[in-house]
Amino acid sequence: MRRVTTTTMSERAHHPRGLMIIAAFKLLKGLALLAVGFGAHSLAHKDLDLVVEHWVDVFRVDPNNHYLHGLLERFADLDPHRLQQLSIGTFFYAAVLLTEGVGLALGKRWAEYFTIIVTSSFIPLELYEIFRHTTVMKVVLLLINVAVVWYLALELRRVKNGAEEQTP
């Protein structure tokens, strides 16, 4: 008769650092996106030109700054409906990231599978973006995501092999 074993993070104590780093990374990204979602939601019914002008004055940014003009061009295309859509999408993705992060931090096996599936599902999109317009940041993010998937797959395999060795 085969015995089913469940492995908790405390039983996998020799590799928790990698899982904790990934969990912290996912939690930070999730919290940041949550803040962006609230920000986009709060801007949905405001005059964006006035809001940007206010923050330019607060931070004493040169109004002729090239980067500021690029930012203003991006804001020009945002209407209240588009901001609402962005906030909903941001909240959804923040919920996914926070679910991954909390699950990994609590040592849940399902979170490792969930993180592999979610993270690897973005790799084709990241590759497309890199081929469309390559930047160092896009390449670094792709490499981080590939490393996360690789590490979690190895961790799951290691735990599975360890569990099989323990069964009589």
Side-chain angles (χ1 to χ4, degrees):
M1 177 151 90
R2 193 157 190 204
R3 194 175 87 197
V4 176
T5 59
T6 58
T7 307
T8 63
M9 187 172 294
S10 61
E11 293 168 341
R12 299 186 274 166
H14 71 278
H15 277 101
R17 181 174 290 155
L19 291 174
M20 289 297 111
I21 290 170
I22 295 169
F25 180 65
K26 296 291 185 173
L27 287 168
L28 287 173
K29 281 179 30 178
L31 291 172
L33 280 178
L34 202 57
V36 169
F38 282 120
H41 182 72
S42 72
L43 291 174
H45 300 291
K46 292 184 180 177
D47 184 352
L48 289 179
D49 291 335
L50 290 175
V51 171
V52 171
E53 187 177 311
H54 167 75
W55 288 108
V56 165
D57 289 341
V58 168
F59 289 111
R60 300 176 190 259
V61 177
D62 178 14
N64 297 320
N65 185 304
H66 169 72
Y67 298 107
L68 178 63
H69 285 282
L71 180 68
L72 291 174
E73 286 175 17
R74 288 183 176 227
F75 276 138
D77 294 335
L78 295 177
D79 58 22
H81 180 69
R82 181 73 177 136
L83 276 171
Q84 199 66 31
Q85 289 175 328
L86 283 170
S87 68
I88 291 169
T90 303
F91 284 134
F92 177 77
Y93 189 45
V96 170
L97 288 168
L98 292 171
T99 301
E100 290 176 306
V102 169
L104 290 172
L106 294 175
K108 302 297 184 182
R109 178 78 55 86
W110 61 262
E112 294 176 38
Y113 285 105
F114 185 62
T115 302
I116 288 172
I117 291 166
V118 170
T119 304
S120 62
S121 70
F122 285 107
I123 291 174
L125 295 171
E126 291 171 346
L127 287 170
Y128 170 78
E129 281 297 317
I130 287 171
F131 284 118
R132 201 181 76 151
H133 183 253
T134 304
T135 65
V136 173
M137 182 59 83
K138 289 178 184 179
V139 173
V140 168
L141 289 174
L142 172 67
L143 292 175
I144 288 170
N145 285 336
V146 168
V148 165
V149 170
W150 176 77
Y151 174 81
L152 290 174
L154 286 179
E155 183 67 14
L156 286 170
R157 188 174 187 188
R158 183 191 64 75
V159 170
K160 180 182 176 193
N161 289 340
E164 287 175 358
E165 291 172 5
Q166 292 177 358
T167 56

